[in-house]
Amino acid sequence: MSEDAATQATVPPSPTSGQRAVKAVIPAAGLATRFLPATKAVPKELLPLVDRPVLQYIVEEATQAGLKDVLLITGRGKTAMVDHFDRQPYLEARLREKGDMERLAAVQRPSELANIFTVRQGEPLGLGHAVSYAETHVGGEPFAVLLGDEFVDKDEPLLPAMIELQARTGGIVLAFVEVQPEEVKRYGIASVAPSDEKLGDTEIVRVTGLVEKPAPEDAPSRLAVIGRYVLPPSIFDAIKRTKPGSGGEIQLTDAMAILLKEGTPVHGIVYRGTRYDTGAPLGYLQTVVQLACQHDSLGEEFRGWLRQFVAEMSEVRSP
Ligand code: UTP
């Protein structure tokens, strides 16, 4: 998205203004190259975070925001993701026989969370391409996109404010975190202007442009795009008009740039809560440790062990 595009952003009344997103789309058909070889046969969305796979946290985030209709965009070798949200009658019967009602409830929970639908992206040709597969399911309504490898703390939700803002503006709503200058080169970075929109204490900005992975000296801000979007249905037509961009992929960012240029309002919410990014080994390990420390039944023992482990490590290091 360019600065020029933004200055033309006169806001036409949106045909979907006032309608709220009720469907979630989770693109999960990527190749997960940053996590190879672990993800050669196991989807990164199914890597365990203490006692649940990553994807369950993401579906829980969607349903907590009232999005009970969830479309998973899957691909080759990823069928197990869908199985996680299915019933397992044999396993359930065995747990019932043993009287292990706690585990039984945990096993049944994913199948009760949401109505899960799936569609297959034949080839992973980019995030925009993946989202285009949601068109038939979503129809002419706004919808939320949740990337399949990151989520936010359940006590500091982000989606409800995004959905509310999108319903008011009818446009695109993004989410940002503020990153350190040396980190901007890993993200899409936004140029922003103050916004007239008000939503309690929520920090809202008007987006005037986006640059992919800039050098620190070229970054227009330190606001980095994270994997939550609430989009109007006009995005589908914009994706059809989007040419392959970086890496030969159809990029969602490029489709959003088309809409921005044509006058669709684009806003961003600055998220100050805790975000977990499990898409690469380091973020995944940090997430496991944080969630293990907070865990109801394991947390206390794990924290004790971790304290001791870190103390021993420091002793080994000091002369
Ligand atoms: P990423 O950029 O994280 O790509 O995609 P990736 O393939 O998952 O992982 P790396 O970068 O190779 O390690 C962001 C999200 O978009 C989905 C991914 O599954 C992930 O949830 N995606 C990406 C698709 O569904 N299809 C695609 O063609 C590309």
Side-chain angles (χ1 to χ4, degrees):
M1 261 186 245
S2 71
E3 290 280 358
D4 293 354
T7 47
Q8 301 167 13
T10 46
V11 182
S14 160
T16 62
S17 203
Q19 221 177 335
R20 287 177 80 81
V22 292
K23 293 180 181 171
V25 172
I26 304 183
L31 294 177
T33 51
R34 284 169 295 162
F35 229 129
L36 286 169
T39 48
K40 185 179 169 194
V42 178
K44 72 173 167 183
E45 295 80 6
L46 287 186
L47 294 177
L49 293 173
V50 189
D51 56 3
R52 273 171 281 169
V54 173
L55 190 57
Q56 186 172 335
Y57 287 87
I58 292 163
V59 173
E60 284 170 357
E61 183 181 325
T63 58
Q64 196 192 354
L67 307 171
K68 304 274 182 197
D69 178 309
V70 175
L71 178 69
L72 285 180
I73 317 257
T74 72
R76 202 165 296 118
K78 296 208 149 186
T79 327
M81 274 187 333
V82 188
D83 293 340
H84 181 72
F85 296 92
D86 201 354
R87 297 292 302 271
Q88 267 273 30
Y90 180 72
L91 178 63
E92 290 174 29
R94 289 300 294 270
L95 291 168
R96 201 173 285 110
E97 275 165 31
K98 281 171 64 184
D100 192 344
M101 304 319 270
E102 206 176 311
R103 281 214 176 80
L104 176 63
V107 162
Q108 288 174 331
R109 187 171 150 74
S111 62
E112 292 162 354
L113 274 175
N115 291 320
I116 304 281
F117 301 86
T118 65
V119 62
R120 289 172 83 88
Q121 183 190 15
E123 262 186 284
L125 297 180
L127 180 56
H129 183 255
V131 169
S132 74
Y133 280 81
E135 182 170 13
T136 315
H137 185 80
V138 164
E141 300 166 12
F143 63 104
V145 173
L146 291 78
L147 297 194
D149 56 6
E150 59 178 87
F151 59 98
V152 301
D153 193 290
K154 66 177 178 354
D155 297 325
E156 302 162 306
L158 164 65
L159 277 173
M162 293 181 74
I163 293 169
E164 173 62 28
L165 183 59
Q166 198 284 332
R168 284 191 200 175
T169 64
I172 293 172
V173 176
L174 306 175
F176 303 124
V177 291
E178 198 166 346
V179 296
Q180 296 302 317
E182 61 275 15
E183 292 176 309
V184 294
K185 58 181 179 297
R186 289 177 23 218
Y187 290 91
I189 300 292
S191 29
V192 296
S195 166
D196 295 335
E197 297 291 339
K198 293 275 172 286
L199 204 60
D201 293 341
T202 308
E203 268 179 75
I204 301 172
V205 289
R206 194 165 62 78
V207 178
T208 58
L210 285 176
V211 259
E212 266 313 313
K213 304 184 172 77
E217 58 277 18
D218 299 330
S221 76
R222 290 200 282 129
L223 296 179
V225 180
I226 60 170
R228 296 291 177 272
Y229 310 79
V230 185
L231 301 170
S234 52
I235 195 70
F236 295 118
D237 178 61
I239 294 171
K240 285 180 197 131
R241 293 186 279 136
T242 302
K243 305 218 161 31
S246 106
E249 297 188 336
I250 309 277
Q251 301 291 354
L252 184 62
T253 305
D254 294 342
M256 293 192 300
I258 292 177
L259 292 185
L260 177 68
K261 197 169 180 182
E262 292 173 352
T264 297
V266 183
H267 291 87
I269 289 183
V270 184
Y271 182 67
R272 304 275 178 199
T274 308
R275 165 178 171 263
Y276 303 102
D277 181 356
T278 65
L282 181 62
Y284 170 77
L285 289 172
Q286 289 163 338
T287 304
V288 170
V289 171
Q290 288 176 85
L291 295 181
C293 285
Q294 294 162 22
H295 195 270
D296 284 345
S297 56
L298 296 171
E300 200 179 337
E301 201 176 337
F302 183 75
R303 287 194 303 273
W305 172 83
L306 188 61
R307 247 181 250 117
Q308 198 181 337
F309 178 71
V310 171
E312 283 168 14
M313 291 279 286
S314 322
E315 274 171 34
V316 172
R317 292 251 167 94
S318 47

